[in-house]
Amino acid sequence: MRGFGLSVAMVVILAAGQALAAGIDLSKPYGDKYGCINRNGQEVAADQMLLLTDKELITAASACTFSKTQAQADGSLVVTATCEAEGEDGQEPTKFTIKHSAKNAKKLTITDEDGNVMGEVVPCK
């Protein structure tokens, strides 16, 4: 019985390690072409832009500040944020999911809470 408990503990530790290894590291910014150009401030006007950091998601028309980030078993992140849309008053709570792209592991796909793809981003250079 003691060996069984040890085996279960090892499986749990290994599973946690694999989830962390497959997790998403937002310590450096991700963006599309214009998001990366504008990561240090508005350098270029763009109708479409995505910039993802460890604290926020910025698009051409909105800015979302993260209030909670939850790692999922599949390695994705579910983010709870408050967003301000350009030209509107107030903040709107929202959730979105960040996961590795099925087509390219270096890219991250961002989807809204309805499952609509907002876009894909790559690590900014």
Side-chain angles (χ1 to χ4, degrees), residues 14-27 30 69-78 98-101 105-108:
L14 286 172
Q18 288 173 344
L20 185 60
I24 295 170
D25 178 13
L26 295 178
S27 62
Y30 282 75
T69 304
Q70 289 182 293
Q72 304 298 299
D74 65 359
S76 66
L77 294 175
V78 173
I98 303 166
K99 61 184 176 182
H100 288 284
S101 169
K106 291 183 181 181
K107 290 184 178 183
L108 298 178

Side-chain angles (χ1 to χ4, degrees), residues 30-39 50-51 122-125:
Y30 282 75
D32 61 8
K33 177 182 176 181
Y34 294 109
C36 288
I37 290 171
N38 290 327
R39 72 179 176 265
L50 279 175
L51 176 63
V122 296
C124 293
K125 296 178 182 179

Side-chain angles (χ1 to χ4, degrees), residues 29-64:
Y30 282 75
D32 61 8
K33 177 182 176 181
Y34 294 109
C36 288
I37 290 171
N38 290 327
R39 72 179 176 265
N40 295 319
Q42 187 73 28
E43 304 275 333
V44 178
D47 290 340
Q48 294 185 356
M49 180 185 94
L50 279 175
L51 176 63
L52 176 66
T53 71
D54 60 341
K55 296 180 178 78
E56 58 192 359
L57 172 67
I58 300 171
T59 71
S62 65
C64 300

